[in-house]
Coordinates of all heavy atoms in Angstrom, one line a residue:
M11 N -5.0 50.2 75.0 CA -6.0 50.0 73.9 C -5.4 49.2 72.8 O -4.2 49.5 72.4 CB -6.4 51.4 73.4 CG -7.6 51.4 72.5 SD -8.4 52.9 72.3 CE -7.5 53.7 71.1
K12 N -6.1 48.2 72.3 CA -5.6 47.4 71.2 C -5.7 48.1 69.9 O -6.7 48.7 69.5 CB -6.5 46.1 71.2 CG -6.0 45.1 70.2 CD -6.9 43.8 70.3 CE -6.4 42.8 69.3 NZ -7.2 41.6 69.3
K13 N -4.6 48.0 69.1 CA -4.5 48.6 67.8 C -5.1 47.7 66.8 O -4.8 46.5 66.7 CB -3.0 48.9 67.5 CG -2.9 49.7 66.2 CD -1.4 50.1 66.0 CE -1.3 51.0 64.8 NZ 0.0 51.4 64.5
R14 N -6.0 48.3 66.0 CA -6.7 47.5 64.9 C -5.8 47.4 63.7 O -5.1 48.3 63.3 CB -8.0 48.1 64.6 CG -9.0 48.1 65.7 CD -10.3 48.5 65.2 NE -10.7 47.7 64.1 CZ -11.9 47.6 63.6 NH1 -12.9 48.2 64.2 NH2 -12.2 46.8 62.6
K15 N -5.9 46.3 63.0 CA -5.2 46.1 61.7 C -5.9 46.9 60.7 O -7.1 47.1 60.8 CB -5.2 44.7 61.3 CG -4.3 43.7 62.1 CD -4.4 42.4 61.5 CE -3.6 41.3 62.3 NZ -3.8 40.0 61.7
Q16 N -5.1 47.4 59.7 CA -5.7 48.2 58.7 C -5.6 47.4 57.4 O -4.5 46.9 57.0 CB -5.1 49.5 58.6 CG -5.7 50.5 57.6 CD -5.1 51.8 57.6 OE1 -4.1 52.1 58.3 NE2 -5.6 52.7 56.7
L17 N -6.7 47.4 56.6 CA -6.7 46.7 55.3 C -6.1 47.6 54.3 O -6.6 48.7 54.0 CB -8.1 46.3 54.9 CG -8.3 45.7 53.6 CD1 -7.5 44.3 53.5 CD2 -9.8 45.4 53.3
D18 N -5.0 47.2 53.7 CA -4.3 48.0 52.7 C -3.8 47.1 51.6 O -2.9 46.3 51.8 CB -3.2 48.8 53.2 CG -2.5 49.7 52.2 OD1 -3.0 49.9 51.1 OD2 -1.4 50.2 52.5
L19 N -4.4 47.1 50.4 CA -4.0 46.3 49.3 C -3.3 47.1 48.2 O -3.1 46.5 47.1 CB -5.3 45.6 48.7 CG -5.9 44.5 49.5 CD1 -7.2 44.1 48.9 CD2 -5.0 43.4 49.7
T20 N -3.0 48.3 48.4 CA -2.4 49.1 47.4 C -1.1 48.6 46.9 O -0.8 48.8 45.7 CB -2.2 50.6 47.9 OG1 -1.5 50.6 49.1 CG2 -3.6 51.3 48.1
N21 N -0.3 48.0 47.7 CA 1.0 47.5 47.3 C 1.1 46.0 47.3 O 2.2 45.4 47.3 CB 2.1 48.1 48.2 CG 2.3 49.6 48.1 OD1 2.2 50.1 47.0 ND2 2.5 50.2 49.2
H22 N -0.1 45.4 47.2 CA -0.1 43.9 47.2 C 0.5 43.4 45.9 O 0.3 43.9 44.8 CB -1.6 43.4 47.4 CG -1.7 42.0 47.8 ND1 -1.6 41.0 46.9 CD2 -1.9 41.4 49.0 CE1 -1.7 39.8 47.5 NE2 -1.9 40.1 48.8
K23 N 1.1 42.2 46.0 CA 1.8 41.7 44.8 C 0.9 41.2 43.7 O 1.3 41.1 42.5 CB 2.7 40.5 45.3 CG 1.8 39.3 45.8 CD 2.8 38.1 46.2 CE 1.9 37.0 46.7 NZ 2.7 35.8 47.0
I24 N -0.4 41.0 44.0 CA -1.3 40.6 43.0 C -1.5 41.6 41.8 O -1.7 41.2 40.7 CB -2.7 40.2 43.6 CG1 -3.5 39.4 42.6 CG2 -3.5 41.5 44.0 CD1 -4.8 38.7 43.1
W25 N -1.4 42.9 42.2 CA -1.6 43.9 41.1 C -0.5 43.9 40.0 O -0.8 44.3 38.9 CB -1.6 45.3 41.8 CG -2.6 45.4 42.8 CD1 -2.4 45.8 44.1 CD2 -4.0 45.2 42.8 NE1 -3.6 45.7 44.8 CE2 -4.6 45.3 44.0 CE3 -4.9 44.7 41.7 CZ2 -5.9 45.2 44.3 CZ3 -6.2 44.6 42.0 CH2 -6.7 44.8 43.2
K26 N 0.7 43.4 40.4 CA 1.8 43.3 39.4 C 1.8 41.9 38.7 O 2.6 41.7 37.8 CB 3.1 43.6 40.0 CG 3.2 45.1 40.5 CD 4.5 45.4 41.1 CE 4.5 46.8 41.5 NZ 4.9 47.1 42.9
D27 N 1.1 40.9 39.2 CA 1.1 39.6 38.8 C 0.4 39.5 37.4 O -0.9 39.6 37.3 CB 0.4 38.6 39.8 CG 0.7 37.2 39.5 OD1 1.0 36.8 38.3 OD2 0.6 36.4 40.4
R28 N 1.1 39.3 36.3 CA 0.5 39.2 35.0 C -0.3 37.9 34.7 O -0.9 37.8 33.7 CB 1.6 39.4 33.9 CG 2.1 40.8 34.0 CD 3.0 41.1 32.9 NE 3.4 42.5 32.9 CZ 4.4 43.0 32.4 NH1 5.3 42.2 31.8 NH2 4.7 44.3 32.5
N29 N -0.1 36.9 35.6 CA -0.8 35.6 35.4 C -2.3 35.8 35.9 O -3.1 34.9 35.5 CB -0.2 34.5 36.3 CG 1.2 34.3 35.8 OD1 1.5 34.1 34.6 ND2 2.2 34.3 36.8
I30 N -2.6 36.8 36.6 CA -4.0 37.0 37.1 C -4.7 38.0 36.3 O -4.2 39.1 36.1 CB -3.9 37.4 38.6 CG1 -3.0 36.5 39.4 CG2 -5.3 37.5 39.2 CD1 -3.5 35.1 39.5
K31 N -5.9 37.6 35.8 CA -6.7 38.5 35.0 C -7.3 39.6 35.8 O -7.5 39.4 37.0 CB -7.9 37.7 34.3 CG -7.4 36.6 33.4 CD -8.6 35.9 32.8 CE -9.5 35.2 33.8 NZ -10.6 34.5 33.3
P32 N -7.6 40.8 35.2 CA -8.2 41.9 36.0 C -9.5 41.5 36.7 O -9.6 41.9 37.9 CB -8.5 42.9 34.9 CG -7.5 42.7 33.8 CD -7.3 41.2 33.8
E33 N -10.3 40.7 36.1 CA -11.5 40.3 36.8 C -11.2 39.5 38.1 O -11.8 39.6 39.1 CB -12.4 39.4 35.9 CG -13.7 39.0 36.4 CD -14.5 38.2 35.5 OE1 -14.1 37.0 35.1 OE2 -15.5 38.7 35.0
A34 N -10.2 38.6 38.0 CA -9.8 37.8 39.2 C -9.2 38.7 40.2 O -9.3 38.5 41.4 CB -8.8 36.7 38.7
K35 N -8.5 39.7 39.8 CA -7.9 40.7 40.8 C -9.0 41.4 41.5 O -8.9 41.6 42.8 CB -7.0 41.7 40.1 CG -5.7 41.1 39.6 CD -4.9 42.1 38.8 CE -3.6 41.4 38.3 NZ -2.8 42.3 37.5
E36 N -10.1 41.8 40.8 CA -11.2 42.4 41.4 C -11.9 41.5 42.4 O -12.3 41.9 43.5 CB -12.2 42.9 40.3 CG -13.3 43.7 40.8 CD -14.2 44.2 39.7 OE1 -13.9 44.0 38.5 OE2 -15.2 44.8 40.0
I37 N -12.0 40.2 42.0 CA -12.6 39.3 42.9 C -11.7 39.1 44.2 O -12.3 39.0 45.3 CB -12.9 37.9 42.2 CG1 -14.0 38.1 41.2 CG2 -13.2 36.8 43.2 CD1 -14.1 37.0 40.2
Y38 N -10.4 39.0 44.0 CA -9.5 38.8 45.1 C -9.7 40.0 46.1 O -9.7 39.8 47.3 CB -8.1 38.7 44.6 CG -7.1 38.6 45.8 CD1 -7.0 37.3 46.4 CD2 -6.4 39.7 46.2 CE1 -6.1 37.2 47.5 CE2 -5.5 39.5 47.3 CZ -5.4 38.3 47.9 OH -4.6 38.2 49.0
A39 N -9.7 41.2 45.6 CA -9.9 42.4 46.4 C -11.1 42.3 47.3 O -11.1 42.6 48.5 CB -9.8 43.7 45.6
Y40 N -12.2 41.8 46.6 CA -13.5 41.7 47.3 C -13.4 40.6 48.4 O -13.8 40.8 49.5 CB -14.6 41.4 46.3 CG -15.9 41.3 47.0 CD1 -16.6 42.4 47.4 CD2 -16.5 40.0 47.2 CE1 -17.8 42.3 48.1 CE2 -17.7 39.9 47.8 CZ -18.4 41.0 48.3 OH -19.6 40.9 48.9
L41 N -12.9 39.5 48.0 CA -12.7 38.4 49.0 C -11.8 38.8 50.1 O -12.1 38.4 51.3 CB -12.1 37.1 48.3 CG -13.0 36.5 47.2 CD1 -12.2 35.3 46.6 CD2 -14.3 36.0 47.8
H42 N -10.8 39.5 49.8 CA -9.8 39.9 50.9 C -10.5 40.8 51.9 O -10.3 40.7 53.1 CB -8.6 40.5 50.3 CG -7.4 40.6 51.2 ND1 -7.3 41.5 52.2 CD2 -6.3 39.8 51.2 CE1 -6.2 41.3 52.9 NE2 -5.5 40.3 52.3
S43 N -11.3 41.8 51.3 CA -12.0 42.7 52.2 C -13.1 42.0 53.1 O -13.3 42.3 54.2 CB -12.6 43.9 51.4 OG -13.6 43.4 50.6
E44 N -13.8 41.0 52.5 CA -14.8 40.3 53.2 C -14.2 39.4 54.3 O -14.7 39.2 55.3 CB -15.6 39.4 52.2 CG -16.6 40.2 51.4 CD -17.8 40.7 52.2 OE1 -18.3 39.9 53.0 OE2 -18.1 41.9 52.0
G45 N -13.1 38.7 53.9 CA -12.4 37.8 54.9 C -11.3 38.4 55.7 O -10.6 37.7 56.3
F46 N -11.2 39.7 55.7 CA -10.1 40.4 56.4 C -10.1 40.0 57.9 O -11.2 40.1 58.5 CB -10.2 41.9 56.2 CG -9.1 42.7 56.9 CD1 -7.8 42.5 56.5 CD2 -9.4 43.5 57.9 CE1 -6.8 43.2 57.2 CE2 -8.5 44.2 58.6 CZ -7.1 44.1 58.2
D47 N -9.0 39.6 58.3 CA -8.8 39.3 59.8 C -9.5 38.0 60.2 O -9.8 37.9 61.4 CB -9.2 40.5 60.6 CG -8.3 40.6 61.9 OD1 -7.3 40.0 62.0 OD2 -8.8 41.3 62.9
R48 N -9.8 37.2 59.3 CA -10.5 35.9 59.6 C -9.6 34.8 59.0 O -9.0 35.0 57.9 CB -11.9 35.8 59.1 CG -12.9 36.6 59.8 CD -14.2 36.4 59.4 NE -14.7 37.6 58.7 CZ -15.7 37.6 57.8 NH1 -16.4 36.6 57.5 NH2 -16.0 38.8 57.3
T49 N -9.7 33.6 59.6 CA -8.9 32.5 59.1 C -9.7 31.8 57.9 O -9.1 31.6 56.8 CB -8.7 31.4 60.1 OG1 -8.1 32.0 61.2 CG2 -7.9 30.3 59.6
I50 N -11.0 31.6 58.1 CA -11.8 31.0 57.1 C -13.1 31.9 56.9 O -13.6 32.3 57.9 CB -12.2 29.5 57.5 CG1 -11.0 28.6 57.6 CG2 -13.2 29.0 56.5 CD1 -11.3 27.3 58.1
S51 N -13.4 32.1 55.6 CA -14.6 32.8 55.3 C -15.5 32.1 54.4 O -15.1 31.2 53.7 CB -14.2 34.2 54.7 OG -13.4 34.9 55.6
N52 N -16.8 32.4 54.4 CA -17.8 31.9 53.5 C -18.3 33.0 52.6 O -18.5 34.1 53.1 CB -18.9 31.2 54.2 CG -18.4 30.0 55.0 OD1 -18.0 29.0 54.4 ND2 -18.5 30.1 56.3
I53 N -18.6 32.6 51.4 CA -19.2 33.6 50.5 C -20.1 32.9 49.5 O -19.9 31.7 49.2 CB -18.1 34.4 49.7 CG1 -18.7 35.6 49.1 CG2 -17.4 33.6 48.7 CD1 -17.9 36.8 49.1
N54 N -21.2 33.6 49.0 CA -22.0 33.1 48.0 C -21.9 33.9 46.8 O -21.6 35.1 46.9 CB -23.5 32.8 48.4 CG -24.2 34.1 48.7 OD1 -24.2 35.0 47.9 ND2 -24.8 34.2 49.9
I55 N -22.2 33.4 45.6 CA -22.0 34.1 44.4 C -22.9 35.3 44.3 O -22.5 36.3 43.6 CB -22.2 33.1 43.2 CG1 -21.9 33.8 41.8 CG2 -23.6 32.5 43.1 CD1 -20.4 34.1 41.7
G56 N -24.0 35.3 44.9 CA -24.9 36.4 44.9 C -24.3 37.7 45.5 O -24.5 38.8 44.9
R57 N -23.6 37.5 46.5 CA -22.9 38.7 47.1 C -21.8 39.3 46.2 O -21.6 40.5 46.1 CB -22.3 38.4 48.5 CG -23.4 38.2 49.5 CD -22.9 38.2 51.0 NE -21.5 38.1 51.3 CZ -21.0 37.3 52.2 NH1 -21.7 36.5 52.9 NH2 -19.7 37.4 52.4
V58 N -21.1 38.4 45.5 CA -20.1 38.8 44.6 C -20.7 39.5 43.4 O -20.2 40.5 42.9 CB -19.2 37.6 44.2 CG1 -18.2 38.0 43.2 CG2 -18.5 37.0 45.4
Q59 N -21.9 39.0 42.9 CA -22.5 39.5 41.7 C -23.0 41.0 42.0 O -23.1 41.7 41.0 CB -23.7 38.7 41.3 CG -23.2 37.4 40.6 CD -24.4 36.4 40.4 OE1 -25.4 36.4 41.1 NE2 -24.2 35.6 39.3
K60 N -23.2 41.4 43.2 CA -23.5 42.8 43.5 C -22.3 43.7 43.2 O -22.6 44.9 42.8 CB -23.9 42.9 45.0 CG -25.3 42.3 45.3 CD -25.6 42.4 46.7 CE -26.9 41.7 47.0 NZ -27.3 41.8 48.4
E61 N -21.1 43.2 43.3 CA -19.9 44.0 43.1 C -19.4 43.8 41.7 O -19.0 44.8 41.0 CB -18.8 43.6 44.1 CG -19.2 43.9 45.5 CD -19.4 45.3 45.8 OE1 -18.7 46.2 45.3 OE2 -20.4 45.6 46.5
V62 N -19.4 42.6 41.2 CA -18.9 42.2 39.8 C -20.1 41.8 39.0 O -20.5 40.6 39.0 CB -17.8 41.1 39.9 CG1 -17.2 40.9 38.5 CG2 -16.7 41.5 40.9
K63 N -20.8 42.7 38.4 CA -22.1 42.5 37.8 C -22.1 41.4 36.8 O -23.1 40.6 36.7 CB -22.6 43.8 37.1 CG -22.7 45.0 38.0 CD -23.9 44.9 38.9 CE -24.0 46.2 39.7 NZ -24.5 46.0 41.0
S64 N -21.1 41.3 35.9 CA -21.2 40.3 34.8 C -20.8 38.9 35.2 O -20.8 38.0 34.3 CB -20.3 40.8 33.7 OG -19.0 40.9 34.1
I65 N -20.4 38.6 36.4 CA -19.8 37.3 36.8 C -21.0 36.3 37.0 O -22.0 36.6 37.6 CB -19.0 37.4 38.0 CG1 -18.1 36.2 38.2 CG2 -19.7 37.7 39.3 CD1 -16.8 36.3 37.5
K66 N -20.7 35.1 36.4 CA -21.6 34.0 36.6 C -20.8 33.0 37.5 O -19.6 33.1 37.7 CB -22.0 33.3 35.3 CG -22.7 34.3 34.4 CD -24.1 34.6 34.9 CE -24.8 35.5 33.9 NZ -25.6 36.5 34.5
N67 N -21.5 31.9 38.0 CA -20.9 31.0 38.9 C -19.7 30.2 38.2 O -18.7 30.1 38.9 CB -21.9 29.9 39.4 CG -21.4 29.2 40.6 OD1 -20.7 29.7 41.4 ND2 -21.6 27.9 40.6
I68 N -19.8 29.9 37.0 CA -18.7 29.1 36.3 C -17.5 30.0 36.2 O -16.4 29.6 36.5 CB -19.2 28.6 34.9 CG1 -20.3 27.5 35.1 CG2 -18.0 28.0 34.2 CD1 -21.0 27.1 33.9
A69 N -17.7 31.3 35.8 CA -16.6 32.2 35.6 C -15.9 32.5 37.0 O -14.7 32.6 37.1 CB -17.0 33.5 35.0
F70 N -16.8 32.6 38.0 CA -16.3 32.9 39.4 C -15.5 31.7 39.8 O -14.4 31.9 40.4 CB -17.5 33.1 40.3 CG -17.1 33.4 41.7 CD1 -16.5 34.6 42.1 CD2 -17.3 32.4 42.7 CE1 -16.1 34.9 43.4 CE2 -16.9 32.7 44.0 CZ -16.3 33.9 44.3
R71 N -15.9 30.5 39.6 CA -15.2 29.3 40.0 C -13.8 29.2 39.3 O -12.8 28.9 39.9 CB -16.0 28.0 39.7 CG -15.3 26.8 40.3 CD -16.1 25.5 40.0 NE -17.5 25.6 40.3 CZ -18.5 25.5 39.3 NH1 -18.1 25.2 38.0 NH2 -19.7 25.6 39.6
K72 N -13.8 29.6 38.0 CA -12.5 29.5 37.2 C -11.5 30.6 37.7 O -10.4 30.4 37.8 CB -12.8 29.8 35.7 CG -13.4 28.6 35.1 CD -13.6 28.7 33.6 CE -14.2 27.5 33.0 NZ -14.4 27.6 31.6
N73 N -12.1 31.8 38.1 CA -11.2 32.8 38.7 C -10.7 32.4 40.1 O -9.5 32.6 40.4 CB -12.0 34.1 38.8 CG -12.0 34.9 37.5 OD1 -11.0 35.0 36.8 ND2 -13.2 35.3 37.1
M74 N -11.5 31.7 40.9 CA -11.1 31.2 42.1 C -10.0 30.1 41.9 O -9.0 30.1 42.7 CB -12.3 30.5 42.9 CG -13.4 31.5 43.3 SD -12.9 32.5 44.7 CE -13.3 31.4 46.0
Q75 N -10.2 29.2 40.9 CA -9.1 28.2 40.6 C -7.8 28.9 40.2 O -6.8 28.4 40.6 CB -9.6 27.3 39.5 CG -10.7 26.4 40.0 CD -11.4 25.7 38.9 OE1 -11.3 26.0 37.7 NE2 -12.2 24.6 39.2
L76 N -7.9 30.0 39.4 CA -6.7 30.7 39.1 C -6.0 31.3 40.3 O -4.8 31.2 40.4 CB -7.1 31.8 38.0 CG -5.9 32.6 37.5 CD1 -5.0 31.8 36.6 CD2 -6.5 33.8 36.7
L77 N -6.8 31.9 41.2 CA -6.2 32.5 42.4 C -5.6 31.4 43.2 O -4.6 31.6 43.9 CB -7.3 33.3 43.1 CG -7.8 34.5 42.5 CD1 -9.0 35.1 43.2 CD2 -6.7 35.6 42.5
E78 N -6.2 30.2 43.3 CA -5.7 29.1 44.0 C -4.4 28.6 43.4 O -3.4 28.3 44.1 CB -6.7 28.0 44.2 CG -6.2 26.9 45.1 CD -7.3 25.9 45.4 OE1 -7.9 25.3 44.4 OE2 -7.6 25.6 46.5
K79 N -4.4 28.5 42.1 CA -3.2 28.0 41.4 C -1.9 28.8 41.7 O -0.9 28.3 41.9 CB -3.5 28.0 39.9 CG -2.3 27.6 39.1 CD -2.6 27.7 37.6 CE -1.4 27.3 36.7 NZ -1.7 27.4 35.3
Y80 N -2.1 30.2 41.8 CA -1.0 31.0 42.1 C -0.9 31.4 43.6 O -0.2 32.4 44.0 CB -1.1 32.3 41.2 CG -0.8 32.0 39.8 CD1 -1.8 31.8 38.9 CD2 0.5 31.7 39.4 CE1 -1.5 31.5 37.6 CE2 0.8 31.3 38.1 CZ -0.3 31.2 37.2 OH 0.0 30.8 35.9
N81 N -1.5 30.6 44.4 CA -1.4 30.6 45.9 C -1.8 31.9 46.6 O -1.2 32.4 47.5 CB 0.0 30.3 46.3 CG 0.1 29.7 47.7 OD1 -0.8 29.1 48.1 ND2 1.2 30.0 48.4
Y82 N -2.9 32.5 46.1 CA -3.5 33.6 46.7 C -4.6 33.3 47.7 O -4.8 33.9 48.7 CB -4.0 34.6 45.7 CG -2.9 35.4 44.9 CD1 -2.6 35.0 43.6 CD2 -2.3 36.4 45.5 CE1 -1.6 35.6 42.9 CE2 -1.2 37.0 44.8 CZ -0.9 36.6 43.6 OH 0.1 37.3 42.9
I83 N -5.3 32.2 47.3 CA -6.4 31.7 48.2 C -6.4 30.2 48.2 O -5.8 29.5 47.3 CB -7.8 32.2 47.8 CG1 -8.1 31.6 46.4 CG2 -7.9 33.7 47.8 CD1 -9.6 31.8 46.0
K84 N -7.1 29.6 49.1 CA -7.5 28.1 49.1 C -9.0 28.2 49.2 O -9.6 28.9 50.0 CB -6.9 27.4 50.2 CG -5.4 27.3 50.3 CD -4.8 26.5 49.2 CE -3.3 26.4 49.3 NZ -2.7 26.1 48.1
F85 N -9.7 27.3 48.4 CA -11.1 27.4 48.5 C -11.7 26.0 48.2 O -11.1 25.1 47.7 CB -11.7 28.4 47.5 CG -11.9 27.8 46.1 CD1 -13.1 27.4 45.6 CD2 -10.8 27.7 45.2 CE1 -13.2 26.9 44.3 CE2 -10.9 27.3 44.0 CZ -12.1 26.8 43.5
R86 N -13.0 25.9 48.6 CA -13.8 24.7 48.2 C -15.2 25.2 48.0 O -15.7 26.0 48.7 CB -13.7 23.6 49.2 CG -14.4 23.7 50.5 CD -14.3 22.5 51.4 NE -15.0 22.7 52.6 CZ -16.3 22.3 52.7 NH1 -16.9 21.6 51.8 NH2 -17.0 22.5 53.8
E87 N -15.9 24.6 47.0 CA -17.3 24.8 46.8 C -18.1 23.8 47.5 O -18.0 22.6 47.2 CB -17.6 24.9 45.3 CG -19.0 25.2 45.0 CD -19.3 25.3 43.5 OE1 -18.5 24.8 42.7 OE2 -20.3 26.0 43.1
Y88 N -18.8 24.1 48.6 CA -19.5 23.1 49.3 C -20.9 22.9 48.9 O -21.6 22.0 49.3 CB -19.4 23.3 50.9 CG -19.9 24.7 51.3 CD1 -21.2 24.8 51.7 CD2 -19.1 25.8 51.5 CE1 -21.7 26.0 52.2 CE2 -19.6 27.0 51.9 CZ -20.9 27.1 52.3 OH -21.3 28.3 52.8
D89 N -21.4 23.8 48.1 CA -22.8 23.7 47.4 C -22.7 24.6 46.2 O -21.8 25.5 46.1 CB -23.9 24.1 48.4 CG -25.2 23.5 48.0 OD1 -25.3 22.8 47.0 OD2 -26.2 23.7 48.8
I90 N -23.7 24.5 45.3 CA -23.7 25.3 44.2 C -23.7 26.8 44.5 O -24.7 27.2 45.2 CB -24.8 24.9 43.2 CG1 -24.7 23.5 42.7 CG2 -24.9 25.9 42.0 CD1 -25.9 23.0 42.0
G91 N -22.7 27.5 44.2 CA -22.6 29.0 44.4 C -22.2 29.3 45.8 O -22.1 30.5 46.1
L92 N -21.9 28.3 46.7 CA -21.5 28.6 48.0 C -20.0 28.2 48.2 O -19.7 27.0 48.0 CB -22.4 27.9 49.1 CG -23.9 28.3 49.0 CD1 -24.7 27.4 49.9 CD2 -24.0 29.8 49.4
Y93 N -19.2 29.1 48.7 CA -17.8 28.8 48.8 C -17.2 29.1 50.2 O -17.7 30.0 50.8 CB -17.0 29.7 47.8 CG -17.4 29.4 46.4 CD1 -18.4 30.1 45.8 CD2 -16.6 28.5 45.6 CE1 -18.8 29.8 44.5 CE2 -17.0 28.3 44.3 CZ -18.0 28.9 43.7 OH -18.3 28.7 42.4
E94 N -16.2 28.3 50.6 CA -15.5 28.5 51.8 C -14.0 28.8 51.3 O -13.5 28.1 50.4 CB -15.5 27.3 52.6 CG -14.7 27.3 53.9 CD -14.9 26.0 54.7 OE1 -14.1 25.1 54.4 OE2 -15.7 26.0 55.5
Y95 N -13.4 29.8 51.8 CA -12.1 30.2 51.3 C -11.2 30.7 52.5 O -11.7 31.2 53.5 CB -12.1 31.2 50.2 CG -12.6 32.6 50.6 CD1 -11.7 33.6 51.0 CD2 -14.0 32.9 50.7 CE1 -12.1 34.8 51.4 CE2 -14.4 34.1 51.1 CZ -13.5 35.1 51.4 OH -13.9 36.3 51.8
T96 N -9.9 30.6 52.2 CA -8.9 31.2 53.1 C -7.9 32.0 52.2 O -7.5 31.5 51.2 CB -8.1 30.0 53.8 OG1 -9.0 29.2 54.5 CG2 -7.0 30.5 54.7
I97 N -7.6 33.1 52.7 CA -6.6 34.0 52.0 C -5.2 33.5 52.5 O -5.0 33.3 53.7 CB -6.7 35.5 52.5 CG1 -8.1 36.0 52.2 CG2 -5.6 36.3 51.8 CD1 -8.5 36.1 50.7
C98 N -4.3 33.2 51.5 CA -3.0 32.7 51.8 C -2.0 33.8 52.2 O -2.2 34.9 51.8 CB -2.4 31.9 50.6 SG -3.4 30.5 50.2

């Protein structure tokens, strides 16, 4: 029987990284859980807004850029509010 991977972010380095804002950490946790065990994932801002109520597309993009700057994700916006990303 094949053993399944388990998602555990409790000791992930992002929680101690002071360069990452709490909102970006919350977004990262959501992206990580959505894209768990996949190479490339797609997401739209509407799905994220269900979890992070106050987020708008511009703020979401800035948080994605911050996460990319510190090498947590790679992403591209292929249409307004639609993103393709990879967890690094």
